């Protein structure tokens, strides 16, 4: 109860059941002249109190505090594929994330591995421009190959720059690569992929100027 | 009261001569689609006589995204992020209504931990929504300070969501079969700290805005909605309760763990804007009370009882589930044809749509400035009206 209202607690029957209710009776205070002034003065006193105590202000100066910005661990912003210290990812190209995505922002392109003889990841294409950041892909991945990172300043002038290739190499997952002792053979299995490789959504012919990536050789792809 | 259904062109008939001694003429004014009190895009056609409102014709549809149709092409897990976008201030309750209906239909039994966390999170969301509403009402009526104060506290609740869920607004947290994440170890202590911080602040809100005579004069005895009319119009939530009808789904048809907690249904007596204001103010205190009772003894158990990638297939039939959001009763109707994991038809009974049509009944006779108070006290979220 405050001085502006009276709360009357009682039991009433509604729909054949007793329901505990709190009946609000707002008090008629504004009709009296001293009360009008008192209400205004109290509001002003509160704001003046904050004015005189600037340490209670919670404003954060965003572009200035960039270096000290800390996000919670679970903060969802940029989808990334986890690459371990040796540069291997865990994606087996099972396409569960593609199926879980609510609006088709993920496209997993696989290729038939010549050395391994199984389907392996060629390109993992993620369209940030249509992504909802709903975390469904991360939840669906049975191998923990994906995670959401905290990079949130993603504004670009060209929408095509929001289409990313998440894997740094085309090839089998870390489990297969780690089992291969020969370094030269392992390197042969890993074909490099750039950040902006892959089909572009708006104009296939024009690659963004920013992406000066190595032209990858022609390969057989299956979408 | 009787309701007649007419088309927009019928309603926009040529204005008639009003029977006033000044021989004034009635005229139409478009309020919106872009108007600060719409909080989105909502067109309100007002038939005015001078400054007095004779008729109100709401024209929704500017934020229509076809969510119900889109649901027909998505499986039950993919529907959840879409429901975030309906009433974005009650995103978790929107998640819950789909999760609850799907769980009822598929026969998934959740455990006490899941239901308790869902209840706590929903109450925090209700608190956040009411805090925001309070500030926005102040801003609509010309008190910009209230808006800044409410956003300060809303962000503090938002930080709890951000730490636990990873998002502030479109959370996608409550899913069929459980939750996206378990709570963090320091969740309990943080929520307790938050409640200790917020309880005195609601008194601060009273000092800042409720005691203000200008606000009181703009809200008291304005836009009186009778309890019977509110029921006829299908109003729910604080709008209905302010008219004196103690209909709260959390009491009438308890879900989650609402049957285990002790709280009061807040009702008003008169049904004017001032009652709607105070019902929400008191509901904030009741939400704090609910969370306080639940936060101390969280039951143990897994946070998800189904496998995420398992197909959710509902048997053939029609299913309806409903929850109480911050604005009223949100219902989800699913018609499953039994094959495939997508619904054949999905319908949402959204609280804001029904609450919006209350203005057609209560606004005529009041001035334009009173209309601002009326619509602001109804607390409408436009994307939920249009879906």
């Amino acid at each position: 109860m405050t001085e502006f209202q009276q709360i009357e607690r009682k039991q009433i029957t509604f729909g054949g059941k007793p329901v505990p209710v709190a009946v609000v009776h707002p008090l008629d205070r504004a009709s009296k002249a001293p009360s009008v002034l008192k209400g205004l003065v109290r509001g002003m006193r509160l704001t003046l109190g904050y004015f005189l105590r600037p340490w209670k202000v919670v404003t954060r100066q965003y572009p200035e505090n960039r270096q000290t910005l800390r996000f919670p661990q679970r903060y969802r912003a940029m989808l990334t594929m986890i690459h371990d210290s040796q540069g291997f990812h865990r994606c087996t190209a099972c396409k569960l994330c593609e199926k879980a995505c609510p609006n088709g922002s993920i496209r997993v392109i696989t290729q038939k591995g010549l050395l391994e003889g199984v389907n392996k990841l060629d390109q993992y294409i993620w369209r940030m421009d249509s992504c909802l950041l709903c975390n469904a892909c991360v939840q669906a991945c049975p191998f923990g190959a994906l995670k959401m990172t905290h990079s949130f300043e993603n504004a670009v002038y060209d929408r095509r720059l929001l289409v990313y290739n998440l894997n740094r190499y085309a090839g089998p997952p870390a489990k297969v690569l780690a089992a291969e002792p020969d370094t030269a053979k392992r390197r042969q299995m890993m074909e490099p992929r750039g950040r902006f490789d892959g089909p572009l959504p708006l104009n296939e012919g024009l690659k963004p100027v920013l992406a000066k990536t190595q032209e990858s050789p022609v390969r057989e792809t299956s979408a | 009261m009787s309701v007649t259904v007419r088309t927009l062109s019928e309603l926009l008939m040529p204005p008639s001569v009003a029977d006033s001694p000044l021989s004034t003429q009635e005229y139409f004014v478009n309020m919106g689609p872009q108007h600060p009190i719409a909080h989105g895009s909502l067109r309100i056609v007002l038939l005015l006589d001078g400054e007095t409102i004779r008729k109100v014709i709401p024209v929704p549809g500017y934020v229509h995204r076809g969510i119900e149709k889109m649901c027909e092409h998505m499986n039950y897990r993919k529907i959840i992020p879409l429901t975030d976008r309906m009433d974005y201030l009650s995103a978790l309750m929107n998640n819950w209504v789909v999760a609850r209906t799907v769980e009822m239909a598929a026969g998934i039994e959740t455990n006490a931990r899941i239901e308790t966390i869902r209840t706590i999170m929903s109450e925090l969301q209700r608190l956040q929504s009411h805090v925001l509403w309070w500030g926005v009402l102040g801003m609509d009526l010309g008190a910009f300070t209230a808006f800044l104060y409410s956003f300060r506290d809303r962000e503090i609740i938002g930080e709890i969501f951000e730490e636990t869920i990873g998002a502030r607004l479109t959370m996608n947290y409550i899913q069929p079969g459980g939750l996206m994440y378990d709570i963090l170890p320091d969740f309990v202590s943080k929520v307790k700290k938050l409640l200790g911080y917020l309880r005195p602040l609601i008194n601060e809100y009273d000092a800042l805005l409720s005691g203000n005579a200008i606000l009181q004069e703009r809200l008291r005895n304005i836009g009186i909605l009778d309890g019977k009319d509110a029921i006829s119009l299908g109003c729910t939530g604080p709008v209905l309760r302010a008219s004196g009808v103690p209909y709260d789904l959390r009491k009438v048809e308890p879900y989650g763990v609402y049957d285990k907690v002790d709280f009061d249904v807040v009702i008003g007596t008169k049904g004017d804007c001032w009652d709607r204001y105070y019902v929400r103010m008191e509901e904030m205190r009741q939400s704090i009370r609910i969370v306080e009772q639940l936060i101390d003894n969280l039951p143990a158990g897994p946070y998800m009882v189904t496998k995420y990638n398992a197909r959710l297939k509902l048997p053939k039939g029609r299913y309806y589930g409903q929850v109480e959001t911050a604005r009223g009763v949100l219902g989800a109707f699913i018609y499953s044809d039994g094959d495939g994991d997508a619904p054949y038809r999905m319908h949402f009974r959204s609280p804001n749509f029904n609450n919006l049509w209350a203005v057609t009944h209560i606004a005529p006779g009041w001035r334009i400035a009173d209309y601002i108070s009326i619509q602001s006290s109804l607390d409408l979220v436009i994307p939920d009206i249009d879906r």
Side-chain angles (χ1 to χ4, degrees):
Chain A
M1 192 202 288
T2 69
E3 57 183 295
F4 303 106
Q5 60 179 332
Q6 267 182 350
I7 310 278
E8 182 196 341
R9 291 184 203 287
K10 58 179 180 183
Q11 291 266 344
I12 58 170
T13 313
F14 180 72
K17 273 203 284 189
V19 180
V21 294
V23 190
V24 181
H25 295 289
L27 292 184
D28 208 31
R29 286 186 69 96
S31 53
K32 293 179 197 129
S35 156
V36 173
L37 273 177
K38 201 181 156 195
L40 291 175
V41 167
R42 277 188 63 177
M44 290 302 283
R45 202 172 61 191
L46 186 76
T47 46
L48 194 71
Y50 278 103
F51 181 72
L52 296 174
R53 287 174 294 169
W55 58 89
K56 290 196 97 177
V57 171
V58 290
T59 316
R60 292 181 209 170
Q61 302 295 335
Y62 157 58
E64 288 83 11
N65 70 354
R66 240 183 187 160
Q67 299 303 317
T68 53
L69 264 186
R70 289 286 171 274
F71 286 99
Q73 192 57 40
R74 289 172 178 177
Y75 181 78
R76 309 203 291 257
M78 183 102 183
L79 184 68
T80 42
M81 186 170 278
I82 301 166
H83 286 73
D84 60 14
S85 54
Q86 289 171 292
F88 301 157
H89 60 67
R90 276 176 267 176
C91 181
T92 60
C94 66
K95 297 196 179 185
L96 278 176
C97 46
E98 196 180 310
K99 283 186 198 116
C101 186
N103 56 355
S105 298
I106 291 170
R107 200 168 143 212
V108 181
I109 300 173
T110 56
Q111 59 169 288
K112 198 89 173 168
L114 294 172
L115 294 165
E116 307 82 27
V118 288
N119 264 4
K120 62 179 188 180
L121 180 66
D122 184 330
Q123 284 177 346
Y124 191 96
I125 294 153
W126 174 57
R127 293 190 54 164
M128 192 188 203
D129 53 351
S130 64
C131 182
L132 295 175
L133 303 171
C134 70
N135 216 23
C137 45
V138 179
Q139 279 188 291
C141 185
F143 306 101
L146 297 165
K147 71 167 180 189
M148 292 272 184
T149 53
H150 304 168
S151 128
F152 67 99
E153 291 164 322
N154 301 309
V156 285
Y157 281 107
D158 192 339
R159 193 180 149 196
R160 290 168 294 175
L161 292 171
L162 293 172
V163 183
Y164 296 114
N165 189 28
L166 295 188
N167 55 325
R168 292 192 207 136
Y169 67 90
K175 222 176 357 181
V176 179
L177 286 172
E180 177 61 56
D182 189 2
T183 322
K185 213 170 176 184
R186 206 159 58 197
R187 198 168 296 143
Q188 215 181 337
M189 287 153 84
M190 294 161 69
E191 204 182 317
R193 291 281 178 270
R195 202 178 187 209
F196 294 101
D197 280 9
L200 297 167
L202 299 178
N203 190 342
E204 294 270 340
L206 286 172
K207 276 205 172 187
V209 202
L210 199 144
K212 191 81 181 163
T213 48
Q214 194 186 333
E215 277 301 313
S216 35
V218 181
R219 55 194 179 268
E220 42 172 273
T221 57
S222 64
Chain B
M1 77 181 259
S2 64
V3 177
T4 44
V5 180
R6 278 171 296 175
T7 60
L8 183 60
S9 56
E10 275 173 331
L11 288 166
L12 293 172
M13 292 292 268
S16 59
V17 178
D19 48 349
S20 104
L22 297 170
S23 69
T24 52
Q25 202 179 19
E26 293 179 339
Y27 58 101
F28 286 107
V29 164
N30 261 317
M31 208 164 176
Q34 298 299 328
H35 192 278
I37 60 146
H39 311 148
S41 292
L42 175 69
R43 181 178 164 210
I44 303 281
V45 183
L46 298 174
L47 177 63
L48 298 173
D49 176 16
E51 216 187 325
T52 312
I53 297 167
R54 291 270 176 256
K55 207 198 291 179
V56 183
I57 308 161
V59 187
Y62 288 86
V63 209
H64 180 66
R65 292 146 298 172
I67 284 181
E68 289 173 3
K69 189 72 186 168
M70 281 160 81
C71 291
E72 294 168 17
H73 304 281
M74 305 221 169
N75 65 32
Y76 294 107
R77 286 196 190 282
K78 292 182 188 178
I79 289 171
I80 304 287
L82 292 182
T83 60
D84 286 336
R85 272 104 186 138
M86 295 195 319
D87 182 355
Y88 45 78
L89 296 176
S90 320
L92 288 170
M93 286 87 113
N94 292 2
N95 293 173
W96 198 355
V97 72
V98 177
R100 187 169 177 240
T101 315
V102 169
E103 279 161 12
M104 271 191 320
I108 300 168
E109 288 275 324
T110 55
N111 58 31
R113 184 181 180 82
I114 292 172
E115 293 298 328
T116 311
I117 295 174
R118 282 176 178 180
T119 310
I120 290 172
M121 286 297 192
S122 295
E123 284 310 310
L124 288 177
Q125 175 101 76
R126 191 185 312 277
L127 198 54
Q128 190 194 33
S129 169
H130 283 350
V131 165
L132 179 71
W133 158 82
W134 173 80
V136 169
L137 180 123
M139 191 183 67
D140 287 343
L141 301 181
F144 193 73
T145 316
F147 182 72
L148 296 176
Y149 279 56
S150 80
F151 257 75
R152 174 193 67 187
D153 304 330
R154 179 175 181 258
E155 286 303 296
I156 289 163
I157 308 175
E159 265 163 31
I160 299 243
F161 290 142
E162 201 175 18
E163 271 166 22
T164 317
I165 304 167
R168 280 163 183 270
L169 200 66
T170 52
M171 293 185 251
N172 186 23
Y173 183 59
I174 298 175
Q175 298 179 344
L179 308 162
M180 181 195 271
Y181 291 122
D182 203 355
I183 54 168
L184 292 167
D186 59 350
F187 175 79
V188 175
S189 61
K190 280 194 173 157
V191 170
K192 276 185 185 166
K193 209 174 139 199
L194 171 88
L195 296 182
Y197 169 80
L198 277 176
R199 206 179 299 107
L201 274 177
I202 296 173
N203 295 335
E204 188 176 280
Y205 294 168
D206 269 341
L208 187 66
L209 201 60
S210 312
N212 191 307
I214 303 164
L215 181 102
Q216 291 190 9
E217 289 303 311
R218 288 195 69 178
L219 294 183
R220 184 179 289 126
N221 295 331
I222 304 288
I224 297 168
L225 180 62
D226 188 52
K228 277 182 184 163
D229 292 347
I231 293 171
S232 311
L233 286 158
C235 295
T236 44
V239 177
L240 177 65
R241 290 196 285 274
S243 302
V245 184
Y247 182 79
D248 191 328
L249 216 59
R250 297 174 288 170
K251 271 285 186 231
V252 177
E253 209 179 281
Y255 56 95
V257 288
Y258 284 116
D259 49 346
K260 288 174 195 149
V261 291
D262 189 25
F263 69 100
D264 294 337
V265 177
V266 187
I267 59 170
T269 46
K270 211 185 278 175
D272 56 348
C273 294
W274 191 228
D275 268 357
R276 287 195 277 275
Y277 178 90
Y278 259 118
V279 163
R280 289 202 181 87
M281 294 298 271
E282 186 59 24
E283 271 192 14
M284 286 190 222
R285 295 194 177 90
Q286 296 294 336
S287 288
I288 292 179
R289 200 173 146 201
I290 293 172
V291 178
E292 266 177 350
Q293 290 172 45
L294 292 172
I295 195 72
D296 273 325
N297 30 24
L298 283 172
Y303 64 94
M304 184 74 131
V305 292
T306 56
K307 278 188 181 153
Y308 188 81
N309 288 321
R311 279 187 80 176
L312 269 172
K313 272 182 83 168
L314 302 194
K316 188 173 161 58
R318 291 148 196 248
Y319 308 99
Y320 182 74
Q322 51 188 4
V323 297
E324 178 91 22
T325 73
R327 274 159 204 80
V329 173
L330 173 71
F333 169 79
I334 298 175
Y335 177 33
S336 167
D337 57 358
D339 49 61
D341 49 3
Y344 180 76
R345 172 84 172 93
M346 184 106 193
H347 176 69
F348 291 104
R349 180 249 180 255
S350 70
N352 290 297
F353 185 82
N354 289 66
N355 289 355
L356 165 69
W357 298 98
V359 296
T360 59
H361 183 62
I362 60 180
W366 299 99
R367 304 294 170 94
I368 294 181
D370 299 327
Y371 183 79
I372 309 291
S373 311
I374 291 169
Q375 199 184 322
S376 197
S377 73
L378 292 177
D379 192 15
L380 301 173
V381 170
I382 312 304
D384 194 37
I385 296 170
D386 293 343
R387 298 192 288 284

